[in-house]
């Protein structure tokens, strides 16, 4: 634990196959060659699987990738993955290699499962309850635009199945943004907020000129269309009672629910859950 960098504790350096530079780890390389590189043409990431040479931190011998130094015999990392060329002394992270993902992850293999449709490892708590979105992790975070699949930051799987950095989601909620940036579905249980809107609408009668005005709305949560009384505050979906709606034209694809009809009972959606931070 005496050697390494801010990202990993290890007893070796790696030689980057892309630029022939020597770095503590791939993150150190990427920070130096992206964030700190003024010339855009020279910016690039290190291909982790192509690392072929490492340098022992104790004896300085450069050699092929192995867990044990061929010069002084020291173990370069208590955890070692020959596929990812990954070394780490801090085994408390619970590192494991996922063959389906093709990379190493942290958090303990027994606590995660690989979803083939989503294309990523999720916490076992989501195994029977998450909404599958094809390759949901193989894209950028919709807030900060960093690539999610191999991010080292915690990631949250929203109830709609889309994924986002947990910190980005927290920043969204601090700014009163509670809908998915991708599909606009609510990211959490909003029933208490809907109750407050019920009270506010009841306490704010519309002027006579608008009292009988009707508008068509589309619900972002259930996808249903409804014709409801116009109100300046918000419009309530008659299918699922959500106020996460938008004004629209009448939908011809699905039968509407009139404002005079009784709404169907709404189902309680699953709460969002977090996936592990990734190597």
């Amino acid at each position: 634990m005496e050697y390494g960098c801010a990202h990993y504790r290890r007893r070796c350096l790696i030689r980057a196959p892309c630029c022939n530079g020597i770095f503590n780890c791939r993150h150190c390389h990427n920070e130096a060659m992206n964030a700190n590189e003024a010339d855009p043409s020279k910016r690039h990431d290190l291909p982790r699987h192509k690392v072929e040479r490492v340098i022992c931190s104790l004896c300085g011998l450069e050699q092929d990738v192995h867990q044990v130094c061929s010069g002084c015999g020291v173990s370069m990392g208590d955890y070692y993955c020959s596929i990812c060329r990954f070394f780490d002394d801090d085994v408390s992270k619970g590192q494991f290699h996922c063959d389906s993902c093709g990379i190493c992850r942290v958090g303990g293999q027994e606590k995660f499962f690989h979803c083939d449709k989503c294309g990523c490892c999720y916490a076992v708590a989501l195994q029977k309850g998450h909404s599958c979105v094809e390759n949901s992790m193989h894209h950028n975070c919709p807030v900060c635009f960093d690539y999610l699949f191999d991010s080292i930051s915690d990631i949250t799987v929203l109830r709609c199945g889309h994924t986002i950095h947990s910190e980005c989601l927290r920043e969204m909620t601090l700014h009163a943004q509670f809908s998915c940036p991708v599909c606009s579905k609510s990211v959490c249980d909003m029933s208490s907020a809907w109750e407050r809107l019920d009270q506010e609408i009841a306490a704010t009668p519309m002027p006579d000129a608008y009292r009988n005005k009707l508008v068509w709305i589309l619900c972002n949560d259930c996808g249903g269309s409804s014709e409801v009384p116009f109100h300046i505050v918000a419009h309530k979906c008659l299918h699922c009672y959500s106020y996460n709606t938008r004004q629209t034209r009448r939908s011809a694809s699905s039968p509407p629910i009139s404002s005079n009809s009784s709404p169907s009972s709404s189902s309680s959606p699953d709460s969002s859950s977090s996936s592990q931070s990734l190597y």
Side-chain angles (χ1 to χ4, degrees):
M1 301 295 288
E2 297 179 3
Y3 297 89
C5 60
H7 307 103
Y8 306 112
R9 312 310 299 172
R10 53 173 60 168
R11 289 177 289 277
C12 68
L13 306 173
I14 60 175
R15 182 173 292 281
C18 45
C19 56
N20 207 39
I22 298 175
F23 301 89
N24 281 291
C25 71
R26 72 179 184 93
H27 298 295
C28 292
H29 168 278
N30 294 344
E31 289 173 0
M33 303 309 296
N34 288 303
N36 300 328
E37 178 55 60
D39 186 354
S41 64
K42 296 181 179 179
R43 296 173 186 170
H44 64 278
D45 290 338
L46 185 148
R48 73 181 85 187
H49 300 97
K50 294 184 179 180
V51 173
E52 298 291 344
R53 304 287 288 177
V54 296
I55 299 96
C56 177
S57 298
L58 274 72
C59 69
L61 177 65
E62 183 169 348
Q63 57 201 283
D64 292 337
V65 178
H66 297 291
Q67 184 174 15
V68 177
C69 175
S70 57
C72 63
V74 69
S75 174
M76 299 184 189
D78 288 344
Y79 175 83
Y80 168 67
C81 176
S82 59
I83 300 174
C84 295
R85 312 297 205 258
F86 177 49
F87 304 82
D88 198 354
D89 273 340
D90 187 4
V91 294
S92 64
K93 298 175 184 177
Q95 302 94 328
F96 66 95
H97 181 85
C98 174
D99 290 329
S100 297
C101 288
I103 60 175
C104 289
R105 302 198 178 277
V106 299
Q109 189 168 10
E110 71 283 357
K111 298 179 182 178
F112 297 92
F113 75 101
H114 183 88
C115 178
D116 292 328
K117 184 173 183 179
C118 295
C120 189
C121 289
Y122 285 164
V124 292
L126 293 172
Q127 190 162 9
K128 296 182 179 179
H130 76 286
S131 299
C132 282
V133 174
E134 189 170 0
N135 293 325
S136 62
M137 294 281 285
H138 294 262
H139 62 78
N140 297 335
C141 172
V143 175
C144 69
F145 301 107
D146 283 345
Y147 192 55
L148 289 172
F149 181 71
D150 57 1
S151 173
I152 60 173
S153 300
D154 288 340
I155 295 170
T156 293
V157 183
L158 303 178
R159 55 172 47 175
C160 58
H162 294 119
T163 50
I164 186 174
H165 282 129
S166 300
E167 180 61 23
C168 293
L169 178 61
R170 190 185 72 84
E171 288 292 330
M172 281 178 48
T173 57
L174 289 177
H175 291 83
Q177 299 295 320
F178 299 99
S179 60
C180 173
V182 178
C183 66
S184 297
K185 292 182 182 292
S186 299
V187 300
C188 58
D189 183 7
M190 299 292 292
S191 56
S192 59
W194 302 159
E195 290 174 4
R196 291 194 296 272
L197 281 174
D198 282 338
Q199 297 169 4
E200 184 176 352
I201 289 174
T204 313
M206 293 297 293
D208 292 338
Y210 296 96
R211 191 157 294 175
N212 296 320
K213 179 179 175 61
L214 297 176
V215 294
W216 284 93
I217 61 170
L218 175 67
C219 179
N220 292 323
D221 285 336
C222 72
S225 297
S226 311
E227 188 179 28
V228 300
F230 172 78
H231 201 282
I232 194 65
V233 175
H235 299 114
K236 187 174 187 176
C237 174
L238 299 180
H239 296 262
C240 66
Y241 302 102
S242 170
Y243 278 103
N244 182 14
T245 61
R246 66 182 75 181
Q247 268 190 252
T248 184
R249 295 181 179 181
R250 178 172 180 173
S251 172
S253 60
S254 59
I257 287 186
S258 167
S259 59
N260 297 323
S261 303
S262 59
S264 59
S265 59
S266 61
S267 59
S268 176
D270 295 331
S271 60
S272 61
S273 303
S274 297
S275 75
Q276 86 281 25
S277 58
L278 316 172
Y279 158 58

